[in-house]
Amino acid sequence: MNVNYLRISVTDRCNLRCVYCNPLGGCDFIGHEEILTFEEIHRLVGLFAECGIRKVRLTGGEPLVRKGIAQLVRQLAAVSGVEEVSLTTNGVLLAQMAAELKAAGARRVNISVDSMDRAGYERITGFDRLPSVVEGIHKAIEVGLAPVRINSVIVKGFNDGPEQIAALAAMSIHLPVAVRFIEYCPTGTQTRPASSYIPNSEVRRMIEREFGLLSPVLAGDIDGPAVYFKAPNSAGTIGFISGRSSLFCQTCNRLRLTSDGKIRPCLYSACSFDVKAMLRRGAGNEELLAFLKAIIHEKSRYTRLNSPGGQFEQFSMQSIGG
Ligand code: SAM
């Protein structure tokens, strides 16, 4: 297992309240002093790079609400060994920040959009912000944060209608973007029940009914979990990330660093390692490096199937970082 990818949640705060992630009324935020500082993140990324990490993705919560995020991108892009810094964002603030992020060294962005219908978007996210997000998508393409990927989670009763799914997939017809459908993963009692999940096989059927058969393509990120296709005569691609209906633990190349400084070797396993405690008690680089190397060495022990609480643990997507 070549662990070369680190996802960092830079905040658990978000400017949206998606029903499947951090719904309105159900959130405890972490105190500011518990969140890793930029200096701590920068130091850790330097050490992770010594352990083979080459790609870093900033996520959250919403990474663009963290003050000075472009400055963090700049610091991380300059770390020796780091080949790529990218972000996953809901795109609400992207139109005004895309150029600054690109100039700071961000390579590309994933933008989460679950509905292209304004009312449907508001029902899922709690806010009427679709126009800003669409502006953000166009700005990201314009400044070259490419390839732009759109992430859509389909949730029963919210955006699972054929017309809603077709409208999302249609972005890949007209724009040079990859629209990726991510299977809903139940994360706790505050979000949607497990029965809200729609398998990607069904999503694909709806897309093919509207646009014709999809043909397989290799689209860049071959070491990620997405499988890519193309609709006839399209500018972009369509991807499926089927975390529930398939298992990709064997090829998982990633670690996660939570906003409160825990390393998670597997999204689905409750296991985490408190690296912030070590940083704040003054651990030296040698001790930290040994700690990171041990986690990487043992990563394959932590998978969806052998997580202690069964297949799916309760967890908070916005503090772990999705
Ligand atoms: N705020 C940013 C955003 O919206 O992209 C970054 C954080 S968000 C937690 C990262 C990704 O996780 C998003 O693409 C989101 O759709 C996905 N996500 C959140 N909760 C999920 C869930 N329960 N199942 C599947 N994907 C989920």
Side-chain angles (χ1 to χ4, degrees):
M1 193 179 283
N2 180 23
V3 179
N4 59 8
Y5 178 30
L6 177 68
R7 294 177 69 99
I8 305 174
S9 175
V10 294
T11 175
D12 62 335
R13 266 63 170 181
C14 190
N15 46 0
L16 295 180
R17 290 305 200 91
C18 298
V19 290
Y20 57 81
C21 186
N22 61 341
L24 275 167
C27 249
D28 291 328
F29 291 114
I30 302 163
H32 282 292
E33 63 295 343
E34 296 303 327
I35 301 285
L36 288 181
T37 64
F38 284 176
E39 291 68 30
E40 287 169 331
I41 294 174
H42 182 237
R43 180 174 177 209
L44 281 175
V45 168
L47 295 169
F48 270 117
E50 288 190 43
C51 301
I53 293 294
R54 297 290 168 261
K55 294 186 198 177
V56 174
R57 176 171 293 276
L58 304 182
T59 175
E62 171 49 37
L64 302 194
V65 302
R66 175 110 188 224
K67 227 167 136 199
I69 189 72
Q71 176 201 333
L72 180 65
V73 168
R74 191 178 302 282
Q75 285 177 344
L76 301 187
V79 169
S80 167
V82 170
E83 293 164 4
E84 179 179 311
V85 178
S86 56
L87 298 103
T88 295
T89 169
N90 58 36
V92 170
L93 298 172
L94 191 56
Q96 66 241 47
M97 295 173 74
E100 187 189 4
L101 291 168
K102 175 74 182 172
R107 181 78 64 82
R108 55 204 171 100
V109 282
N110 291 358
I111 305 170
S112 302
V113 191
D114 304 312
S115 176
M116 290 305 283
D117 167 67
R118 195 161 168 174
Y121 182 90
E122 184 172 358
R123 218 155 75 78
I124 293 170
T125 65
F127 293 90
D128 176 22
R129 292 186 174 153
L130 182 61
S132 315
V133 177
V134 172
E135 207 188 325
I137 294 171
H138 287 283
K139 193 70 187 178
I141 296 170
E142 183 191 315
V143 304
L145 284 167
V148 170
R149 291 171 178 160
I150 310 296
N151 285 343
S152 305
V153 178
I154 303 301
V155 182
K156 201 175 273 178
F158 282 89
N159 57 351
D160 58 331
E163 65 299 331
Q164 294 233 40
I165 289 174
L168 289 165
M171 269 189 278
S172 82
I173 310 276
H174 311 299
L175 297 171
V177 299
V179 178
R180 310 184 322 159
F181 292 91
I182 302 176
E183 285 181 343
Y184 170 59
C185 165
T187 57
T189 49
Q190 315 275 15
T191 55
R192 306 305 301 168
S195 56
S196 304
Y197 146 77
I198 308 274
N200 267 339
S201 53
E202 232 175 272
V203 174
R204 179 175 176 176
R205 258 195 303 279
M206 290 189 223
I207 295 172
E208 292 193 319
R209 231 174 273 139
E210 182 70 24
F211 298 106
L213 284 185
L214 300 179
S215 39
V217 286
L218 272 185
D221 192 13
I222 42 177
D223 55 356
V227 183
Y228 289 96
F229 296 85
K230 217 170 163 54
N233 305 315
S234 54
T237 57
I238 290 174
F240 296 102
I241 301 179
S242 309
R244 274 182 71 84
S245 63
S246 68
L247 194 67
F248 30 72
C249 302
Q250 254 183 330
T251 53
C252 178
N253 63 344
R254 57 196 61 189
L255 291 176
R256 290 176 165 84
L257 177 60
T258 67
S259 48
D260 61 345
K262 311 250 171 43
I263 298 170
R264 304 260 314 207
C266 168
L267 180 61
Y268 301 108
S269 159
C271 177
S272 69
F273 299 90
D274 191 351
V275 73
K276 184 184 72 188
M278 293 177 73
L279 287 170
R280 293 191 181 176
R281 73 162 161 72
N285 284 352
E286 222 166 279
E287 187 187 352
L288 285 162
L289 269 176
F291 184 65
L292 302 186
K293 280 180 183 161
I295 295 170
I296 290 171
H297 184 69
E298 299 222 322
K299 175 173 155 59
S300 57
R301 285 182 48 200
Y302 306 100
T303 66
R304 194 178 100 188
L305 290 184
N306 65 12
S307 71
Q311 278 217 27
F312 294 102
E313 293 284 334
Q314 289 223 347
F315 61 91
S316 150
M317 200 67 97
Q318 87 262 20
S319 62
I320 297 176

